[in-house]
């Protein structure tokens, strides 16, 4: 599912850093640590995670029900 998100979009980058091991980061990171790495505030990171997870959830549901 993450591959469906364009690689250069911050959404994909944030989810990878937050929930999975990422190229530059050895472990998952908190929103407070992700923000400075990407030049964002913790609140911006939080909003992007919520929005992206909702978009992915909708896509999964559409595929499962469609």
């Amino acid at each position: 599912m993450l591959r469906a998100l364009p690689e250069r979009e911050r959404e994909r980058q944030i989810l990878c850093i937050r929930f999975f091991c990422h190229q530059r980061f050895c472990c998952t990171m908190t929103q407070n640590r992700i923000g400075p790495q990407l030049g964002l505030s913790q609140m911006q990171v939080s909003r992007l995670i919520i929005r992206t997870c909702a978009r992915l959830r909708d896509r999964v549901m559409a595929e499962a029900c469609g």
Side-chain angles (χ1 to χ4, degrees):
M1 241 338 123
L2 285 178
R3 290 184 183 141
L5 297 172
E7 190 168 343
R8 293 184 184 230
E9 280 192 31
R10 287 186 188 248
E11 289 89 348
R12 181 176 178 178
Q13 187 177 19
I14 288 171
L15 289 185
C16 288
I17 294 169
R18 176 66 182 98
F19 298 110
F20 307 101
C21 290
H22 192 262
Q23 297 165 354
R24 294 185 303 172
F25 308 102
C26 297
C27 59
T28 60
M29 295 178 68
T30 65
Q31 294 175 8
N32 286 328
R33 292 187 61 206
I34 294 169
Q37 294 288 332
L38 301 177
L40 301 169
S41 70
Q42 179 274 327
M43 186 57 69
Q44 288 171 306
V45 171
S46 176
R47 287 181 184 138
L48 286 169
I49 289 172
I50 290 169
R51 183 180 339 147
T52 307
C53 286
R55 187 172 6 150
L56 290 172
R57 183 177 50 249
D58 291 346
R59 179 178 272 167
V60 168
M61 292 302 292
E63 289 178 11
C65 297

